[in-house]
């Protein structure tokens, strides 16, 4: 029985929502129809009307609240509660992550990581590209990481004289997997907050899911993608010229063209590779220590309480930002005034993301307060459907409809939240990862990432579908598969 419940989650769902105690009624049918129409409204407003996702989610939330029968005087309060509940936790972490990413790029730390890892045999480059993307992608949003990595990919393609997709797909896979599975990215953090999952456990299991997903969708699929779309670096908008990529062998700081450098001119030095890694990995180490303490150390022990504090994501990321102000700041030549300016600048690009995540939280709260989650729980029990599979399916459908992985993650997490009430911490983390996997499926023309990849690599729409879109689908399916396997073990 434990084996079956581990795979399907049905036993735990039944404990939370017993159809015998709460039989299906007309209100359940009503709220499911309203939820479907509400999601459709959000999709149409984003994709057809071209309305900003924040406004679309807000309008959709109000419709769901009214249609679900929530008292009119409580609708806006419910929405505000959902927004505040998500942003009170996630907003701080997104801001800290943006600060760390800005300092990493402007100090030349990202360049140092790339320069160090690109040395060696050409045959290892696809694997190194995936590793570079994973390291740089820890604190950065997908779009920012993509802009930084494209010139690096093109430089490497010129040196090995091979197809761009052979190296481009591993880099894209590394960035995308981090975006979907690993805190402190907005989607995973929002799902963790909504489902009340443990950050450390989610991070540890997320790494287990991420590794095979990157390997299969990155270097391995990259070989096939290179055959399907055998373009070279010359097709890319940011391609480096052969002359500027001159030299063979290792990539030194003096051999790259200016187009490949992200370092700010104010930086007089570049951080070492070791210091860069220590700074970037410090929040992950602290959060993993907390996860280990939660499992192996007595809750009343002083060490456990200390590790719980330093491993909390807010402290862990704050520590990394403060460390980066030295390693990526004063140590490379930035003055305190310059540092303050850069940290302020880092917050401007994330305002839209933060408000979208917040509106997604409001939409979630309206679904919960209106009874949609309970109705879905009854359907899941009656259909004997796995909560992990259900989370993946819901996220995948919203991703296909809206094109936004973050909107898909936040909305799907809210829909399946009532099913998670009785799940263990490990299975809560797996549910977060299942939702994250669903949110990555088949990026197409309604996704900004699709057009970024198309333009930067100089692809046609068909070529982008055969490479980027297929890669995203592989990540999604492999991620779900690994999540289900882990659910059998834990």
């Amino acid at each position: 029985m434990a084996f079956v419940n581990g795979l399907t989650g049905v036993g735990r769902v039944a404990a939370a929502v017993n159809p015998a105690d709460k039989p299906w009624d007309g209100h359940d049918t009503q709220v499911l129809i309203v939820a479907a129409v509400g999601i459709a409204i959000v999709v149409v407003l984003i994709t057809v009307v071209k309305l900003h996702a924040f406004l679309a989610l807000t309008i959709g939330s109000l419709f769901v609240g009214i249609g679900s029968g929530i008292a009119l005087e409580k609708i806006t309060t419910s929405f505000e509660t959902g927004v505040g509940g998500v942003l009170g936790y996630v907003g701080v972490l997104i801001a800290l992550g943006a600060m760390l990413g800005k300092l990493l790029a402007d100090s030349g730390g990202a360049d140092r990581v790339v320069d160090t890892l690109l040395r060696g045999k050409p045959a290892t480059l696809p694997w190194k590209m995936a590793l570079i993307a994973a390291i740089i992608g820890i604190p950065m949003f997908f779009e920012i990481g993509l802009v930084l990595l494209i010139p690096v990919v093109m430089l490497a393609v010129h040196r090995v004289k091979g197809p761009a997709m052979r190296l481009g797909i591993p880099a894209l896979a590394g960035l995308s997997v981090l975006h979907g599975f690993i805190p402190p990215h907005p989607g995973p953090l929002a799902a963790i907050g909504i489902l009340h999952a443990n950050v450390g456990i989610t991070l540890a299991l997320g790494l287990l899911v991420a590794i095979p997903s990157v390997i299969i969708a990155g270097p391995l699929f990259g070989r096939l993608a290179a055959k399907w779309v055998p373009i070279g670096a010359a097709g890319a908008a940011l391609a480096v010229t052969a002359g500027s990529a001159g030299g063979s062998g290792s990539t030194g700081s003096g051999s790259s063209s200016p187009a490949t450098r992200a370092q700010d001119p104010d930086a007089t030095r570049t951080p070492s590779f070791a210091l860069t890694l220590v700074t970037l990995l410090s929040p992950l180490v602290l959060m993993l220590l907390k996860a280990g303490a939660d499992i192996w150390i007595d809750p009343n022990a002083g060490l456990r309480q200390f590790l719980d504090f330093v491993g909390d994501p807010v402290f862990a990321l704050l520590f990394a930002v403060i460390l980066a102000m030295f390693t990526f700041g004063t140590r490379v030549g930035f003055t305190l005034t310059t540092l303050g300016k850069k940290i302020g600048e880092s917050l401007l690009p994330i305002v839209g993301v933060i408000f979208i995540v917040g509106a997604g939280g409001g939409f979630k709260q309206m679904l919960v307060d209106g009874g949609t989650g309970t109705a879905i729980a009854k359907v899941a029990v009656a259909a004997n459907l796995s909560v992990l599979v259900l989370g993946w399916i819901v996220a995948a459908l919203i991703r296909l409809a809206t094109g936004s992985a973050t909107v898909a993650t936040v909305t799907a997490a809210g829909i399946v939240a009532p099913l998670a009430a009785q799940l263990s911490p490990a299975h809560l983390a797996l549910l977060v990862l299942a939702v994250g996997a669903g949110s990555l499926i088949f990026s197409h023309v309604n996704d900004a990432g699709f057009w970024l990849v198309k333009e930067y690599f100089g692809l046609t729409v068909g070529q982008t579908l055969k490479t980027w879109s297929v890669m995203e689908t592989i990540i999604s399916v492999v991620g779900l598969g690994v999540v289900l396997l882990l659910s059998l073990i834990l």
Side-chain angles (χ1 to χ4, degrees):
M1 188 66 174
F3 175 87
V4 175
N5 288 344
L7 177 60
T8 66
V10 170
R12 294 186 177 89
V13 172
V17 182
N18 190 331
D21 298 335
K22 300 179 181 180
W24 189 268
D25 56 32
H27 182 260
D28 293 320
T29 303
Q30 174 187 337
V31 296
L32 286 180
I33 293 174
V34 167
V37 175
I39 293 173
I41 288 174
V42 174
V43 171
V44 170
L45 289 177
I46 293 174
T47 59
V48 178
V49 184
K50 306 300 181 184
L51 200 63
H52 191 276
F54 171 76
L55 289 176
L57 284 165
T58 302
I59 293 170
S61 299
L62 297 179
F63 171 83
V64 169
I66 295 171
S68 299
I70 300 175
L72 291 178
E73 68 272 14
K74 295 181 179 179
I75 288 177
T76 54
T77 301
S78 179
F79 179 75
E80 291 164 4
T81 300
V83 173
V86 172
L87 290 188
Y89 176 70
V90 178
V92 175
L93 300 180
I94 294 175
L96 290 171
M99 294 175 189
L100 182 58
K102 174 70 171 176
L103 294 176
L104 168 68
D106 287 359
S107 67
D111 294 330
R112 176 66 73 184
V113 171
V114 169
D115 291 345
T116 302
L117 294 181
L118 280 186
R119 300 186 181 117
K121 298 179 180 179
T124 65
L125 282 179
W127 301 90
K128 288 181 177 179
M129 279 295 172
L131 181 59
I132 290 170
I135 293 173
I136 291 179
I138 290 171
M140 289 188 175
F141 294 116
F142 174 84
E143 291 83 358
I144 300 173
L146 180 63
V147 171
L148 284 176
L149 280 179
I150 289 298
V152 178
V153 171
M154 296 309 147
L155 177 64
V157 169
H158 269 297
R159 290 184 174 175
V160 299
K161 305 299 182 184
M165 290 297 103
R166 184 74 174 87
L167 302 182
I169 288 295
L172 294 172
L175 286 175
S176 184
V177 165
L178 267 289
H179 180 72
F181 295 136
I182 307 297
H185 288 272
L189 280 176
I192 288 169
I194 292 169
L195 297 172
H196 305 293
N198 181 286
V199 176
I201 294 175
T202 305
L203 174 59
L205 295 178
L207 292 173
L208 294 179
V209 174
I211 291 171
S213 300
V214 169
I215 290 174
I216 295 173
L220 297 184
F221 173 66
R223 297 179 181 177
L224 184 59
K227 294 179 180 178
W228 287 350
V229 183
I231 66 164
L238 291 183
V240 216
T241 64
S244 65
S248 56
S250 65
T251 304
S253 60
S255 64
S256 300
S257 73
T260 69
R261 316 309 295 175
Q263 187 174 25
D264 190 289
D266 290 337
T268 58
R269 293 179 296 277
T270 303
S272 69
F273 180 69
L275 270 181
T276 301
L277 281 188
V278 167
T279 305
L280 290 180
L281 298 181
S282 61
L284 274 70
V285 171
L286 291 175
M287 286 188 280
L288 287 174
L289 286 174
K290 180 185 183 301
D294 290 343
I295 298 172
W296 291 302
I297 301 180
D298 183 270
N300 297 318
L303 178 60
R304 165 70 179 274
Q305 294 172 2
F306 173 75
L307 291 176
D308 282 346
F309 173 70
V310 301
D312 182 87
V314 172
F315 179 89
L317 272 173
L318 178 61
F319 174 83
V321 170
I322 293 173
L323 179 61
M325 291 177 70
F326 168 70
T327 57
F328 299 157
T330 56
R331 197 172 186 277
V332 303
F334 292 149
T335 64
L336 293 179
T337 301
T338 301
L339 275 176
K341 181 180 177 182
K342 290 187 177 301
I343 287 175
E345 291 173 348
S346 71
L347 299 177
L348 297 178
I350 65 169
V351 173
V353 174
I354 288 179
F355 275 96
I356 289 171
V357 170
F363 190 85
K364 174 271 303 181
Q365 192 63 42
M366 212 68 76
L367 292 172
V368 171
D369 292 347
T372 304
T374 301
I376 290 176
K378 293 179 183 179
V379 173
V381 172
N384 207 35
L385 188 63
S386 162
V387 63
L388 299 178
V389 174
L390 179 65
W392 182 86
I393 290 173
V394 173
L397 291 175
I398 297 173
R399 157 71 162 190
L400 289 170
T402 66
S404 171
T406 302
V407 171
T409 300
V410 174
T411 308
I415 288 174
V416 300
L419 309 180
Q422 304 300 319
L423 294 180
S424 67
H427 279 78
L428 273 176
L430 290 177
L431 181 55
V432 170
L433 298 173
V435 168
S439 75
L440 296 177
I441 200 167
F442 201 75
S443 164
H444 59 97
V445 295
N446 62 355
D447 177 19
F450 177 93
W451 298 104
L452 278 173
V453 172
K454 174 188 177 297
E455 295 303 319
Y456 276 130
F457 282 93
L459 304 172
T460 65
V461 169
Q463 288 173 331
T464 312
L465 289 170
K466 289 194 292 186
T467 52
W468 160 254
S469 301
V470 173
M471 181 209 77
E472 287 280 85
T473 304
I474 292 172
I475 293 173
S476 179
V477 174
V478 172
L480 175 64
V482 177
V483 165
L484 293 177
L485 287 176
L486 289 173
S487 74
L488 300 178
I489 300 171
L490 300 174

